[in-house]
């Protein structure tokens, strides 16, 4: 009966160790590819945040355009009289001298 040489056993144990090391590294990199700080899940969260911020930017741009229009209507050289009256009524609570104002008393209870 022939005995296997010692170097053959060492080679097989080295092959097994290299295989385990490669499997471990593969598992490590696969985990970090999916769940890591810069992985696929983080990329999906960033894409969702980007779409939410794009919506917010569009709504803020609409508000800005309205404010720019309002400022243009209030230019000091010739303000728009209708817009000045609208601001006086809504913001300041003024009424035109010919307006009828009806005050309701609070119900007594």
């Amino acid at each position: 009966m022939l005995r296997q040489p010692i170097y053959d056993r060492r080679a097989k144990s080295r092959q097994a160790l290299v295989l385990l090391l490669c499997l471990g590294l593969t598992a490590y990199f696969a985990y970090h590819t999916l769940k890591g700080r810069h992985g696929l899940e983080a990329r999906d969260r960033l894409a969702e945040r980007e779409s939410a911020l794009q919506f917010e930017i569009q709504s803020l741009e609409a508000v800005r355009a309205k404010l720019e229009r309002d400022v243009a209507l209030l230019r000091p050289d010739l303000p728009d009289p209708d817009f000045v009256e609208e601001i006086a009524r809504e913001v300041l609570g003024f009424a035109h001298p010919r307006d009828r104002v009806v005050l309701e008393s609070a119900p007594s209870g």
Side-chain angles (χ1 to χ4, degrees), residues 37-81:
R37 191 170 139 194
H38 301 288
L40 296 175
E41 287 182 4
R43 191 180 108 212
D44 291 342
R45 285 192 304 270
L46 284 175
E48 289 173 8
R49 186 166 183 236
E50 178 191 15
S51 64
L53 289 175
Q54 285 293 335
F55 177 75
E56 187 176 347
I57 286 172
Q58 289 174 351
S59 63
L60 289 175
E61 285 175 347
V63 169
R64 181 179 179 181
K66 182 186 180 308
L67 289 174
E68 286 177 349
R69 182 188 61 86
D70 292 350
V71 167
L73 290 174
L74 287 174
R75 62 184 184 270
D77 54 339
L78 185 61
D80 183 33

Side-chain angles (χ1 to χ4, degrees), residues 87-102:
I87 289 177
R89 289 175 184 261
E90 290 181 10
V91 177
L92 301 175
F94 290 166
H96 194 273
R98 291 179 287 181
D99 287 346
R100 292 188 183 176
V101 178
V102 178

